[in-house]
Amino acid sequence: MIFKTVQILWHEREPIFSCDFHSSGRLATCGGDNDVKIWWCQHATATATATPTPDADGDSNGDAVPFRFLASLSRHLKAVNVVRFSPNGQWLASGSDDANVLLWQRVESAGAQACQPPPPPPAAAVGGVAGAAADGGESWQLVHTLRGHLSDVYDIAWRADSGALCSGSTDNAVFVWDMARTSSGSKAATTKIEAHRLEGHTHFVQGVAWDPRGVFLCSAASDRTVRVYRRRTGGSDWHCSHVIAKLDAPRSMAIGLGKAVRLFADETININSFFRRLSWTPDGSLLLVPAGIAAVPAAAAAVASSAPPPHQHQQQQQQQQLHCVYVFARNALHRPLMRLAAAPKPFVCVRANPLCFEPRPGADRAGRWLQLAYRMVIAAATTDSVLLYETDSGGAPIALVKHAHYAELTDLAWSADGRQLVVSSKDGYCSLLTFDADELGRPSPLVL
């Protein structure tokens, strides 16, 4: 694993609130400058290699800037909090403090195919900061403005077939936007969008996630609940099937002291963090929810926070609240299947690698989260760290990157080949984690 903070002016030193990869290797970012920017990552395609591209001096030592600026999308009136590409690659959705969700499409040049990589840059722009200057040479157009929210839009998620998206806002509501074709063809003018407002939360909705199998739509809010919605059988109406908030927790899960406890933190835990970006694993078997809290023995809390352990006579009585990610199985959403190892800072985002991998040789089957024929890799971001987990290793992290940024982390994005992970931060920079071929394992077929 190679870690690098990319030293370019991503958003004119303004905070970066979100990032997302396209299957072609394009990366979208957004932030406090009210813009969405499109970049090209030279290694983030399904056929990419980890061989560094030579920089302007012909040096291939890996110091070349791995991103090239392509376009700036400037139609939002306030800070942009989230960007998400549709699974089919046709759309880019962005949500802002101006309460709007905008849908963008790339303007294809004559003879160009959708989702193809951009043409090679001019020689002067290869590997240098010059690649982030002026016009990137790619055109994007605004095709839809989705109005309905009354306040800041914090998160967006697409349905797996790209036929609908959902958004969460500080107006306490989730909107579902159904995109129905009204005529043949693929142009935006033939698309009719219907809005459905889902209510129930009593405070800001800070994360939304759509089940890859298209059944469940989940939202996480600062009212300390996760709501699970689904369509009524044979109809278009939505209803809430689960509200996840409290649990009568057994001591064995180390969630509490055997009484009903809150699973999720309130907004006062970290006033600077306003994201609870939950997600599903690519096979749809597990729901991963950040912003969890857990009461753990003081000795374990000291290890997680690198603090001196308590005296032995205090260990049996002391409990300390730490932060965690809760894991729910799709067939038992009423209670956590397990929690990932606790951390001293709140978790704000969790994203699963888009690929599944073969089980590691000799792995203990007892440590698997579910008895699956494959293994999945999970990235979770606290406000100051990125932790990697895999479903064969229990709840303990397999890797940790800590204190790489000067401000809170905000989002994570995996590339389509599963070998690049981008981390965005309020300090105005993004970092890139790159994995060698087979470092995470050999890919295995995905089963839905």
Side-chain angles (χ1 to χ4, degrees):
M1 181 179 74
I2 300 173
F3 177 85
K4 180 177 184 177
T5 299
V6 184
Q7 301 291 326
I8 57 178
L9 297 180
W10 292 85
H11 286 266
E12 302 298 332
R13 294 192 174 90
E14 291 294 326
I16 301 175
F17 294 129
S18 184
C19 56
D20 196 45
F21 265 117
H22 188 275
S23 58
S24 67
R26 289 173 177 83
L27 177 77
T29 60
C30 64
D33 62 349
N34 305 354
D35 285 351
V36 175
K37 296 188 184 298
I38 308 297
W39 311 83
W40 166 248
C41 181
Q42 60 185 357
H43 301 316
T45 61
T47 58
T49 65
T51 303
T53 298
D55 60 19
D57 298 325
D59 185 8
S60 298
N61 59 7
D63 293 334
V65 175
F67 293 94
R68 174 163 62 91
F69 175 73
L70 295 179
S72 183
L73 287 53
S74 305
R75 294 295 294 272
H76 282 292
L77 303 179
K78 294 184 179 180
V80 187
N81 297 314
V82 58
V83 284
R84 292 291 183 261
F85 284 106
S86 61
N88 66 3
Q90 181 180 353
W91 311 88
L92 172 64
S94 58
S96 166
D97 284 353
D98 62 14
N100 293 327
V101 175
L102 303 186
L103 295 186
W104 308 84
Q105 280 185 322
R106 185 164 64 93
V107 178
E108 305 287 354
S109 58
Q113 297 180 356
C115 304
Q116 71 177 9
V126 175
V129 180
D135 183 8
E138 205 168 75
S139 296
W140 290 70
Q141 63 180 351
L142 174 63
V143 293
H144 283 291
T145 299
L146 308 183
R147 296 183 175 92
H149 284 296
L150 305 177
S151 189
D152 310 0
V153 177
Y154 274 176
D155 205 16
I156 291 172
W158 286 89
R159 198 169 66 196
D161 64 358
S162 301
L165 69 156
C166 61
S167 54
S169 167
T170 57
D171 63 4
N172 307 349
V174 175
F175 266 82
V176 178
W177 312 91
D178 279 316
M179 304 169 65
R181 298 293 182 191
T182 58
S183 65
S184 60
S186 59
K187 298 298 183 181
T190 66
T191 301
K192 179 182 178 181
I193 300 179
E194 298 180 354
H196 306 270
R197 181 184 176 95
L198 308 184
E199 298 182 337
H201 284 295
T202 59
H203 213 264
F204 302 161
V205 180
Q206 299 173 313
V208 289
W210 214 311
D211 166 23
R213 304 180 192 179
V215 177
F216 300 117
L217 190 162
C218 303
S219 58
S222 53
D223 61 8
R224 309 181 74 176
T225 68
V226 170
R227 300 181 74 87
V228 181
Y229 300 92
R230 63 184 305 170
R231 286 191 187 274
R232 299 186 187 278
T233 303
S236 60
D237 294 337
W238 291 82
H239 74 283
C240 182
S241 61
H242 297 82
V243 178
I244 308 170
K246 296 181 180 181
L247 180 69
D248 292 328
R251 293 177 182 269
S252 60
M253 289 189 69
I255 296 175
L257 299 177
K259 61 181 181 180
V261 293
R262 289 275 190 178
L263 292 177
F264 306 108
D266 61 25
E267 72 276 9
T268 64
I269 295 295
N270 182 17
I271 199 65
N272 293 322
S273 174
F274 41 82
F275 299 123
R276 300 172 187 240
R277 288 177 162 152
L278 69 171
S279 68
W280 290 82
T281 52
D283 64 347
S285 64
L286 299 172
L287 174 64
L288 311 167
V289 184
I293 51 175
V296 302
V303 172
S305 62
S306 301
H311 295 295
Q312 185 173 0
H313 70 277
Q314 298 175 320
Q315 292 185 12
Q316 294 183 350
Q317 298 180 352
Q318 287 188 351
Q319 294 274 325
Q320 183 172 339
Q321 180 175 283
L322 289 182
H323 303 274
C324 65
V325 171
Y326 282 113
V327 180
F328 296 83
R330 70 174 293 116
N331 58 354
L333 293 172
H334 61 283
R335 63 176 297 116
L337 173 69
M338 61 176 297
R339 67 167 175 82
L340 304 186
K345 293 295 183 67
F347 283 89
V348 296
C349 178
V350 56
R351 297 286 288 270
N353 190 300
L355 303 183
C356 295
F357 301 92
E358 294 179 357
R360 296 194 183 277
D364 183 7
R365 294 181 62 89
R368 297 183 183 180
W369 302 1
L370 291 175
Q371 295 304 311
L372 302 172
Y374 45 82
R375 174 175 50 88
M376 294 177 286
V377 177
I378 312 298
T382 71
T383 54
D384 69 349
S385 307
V386 177
L387 298 91
L388 295 180
Y389 305 86
E390 57 183 22
T391 55
D392 276 4
S393 63
I398 60 172
L400 168 68
V401 177
K402 192 173 184 179
H403 300 313
H405 288 268
Y406 292 103
E408 291 87 356
L409 307 184
T410 56
D411 204 0
L412 300 168
W414 286 99
S415 62
D417 68 351
R419 290 173 52 192
Q420 283 76 34
L421 177 67
V422 170
V423 184
S424 61
S425 169
K426 290 183 182 178
D427 65 6
Y429 292 96
C430 289
S431 294
L432 177 67
L433 281 77
T434 303
F435 301 88
D436 291 334
D438 296 334
E439 182 176 355
L440 295 176
R442 294 174 58 87
S444 175
L446 175 63
V447 179
L448 289 177

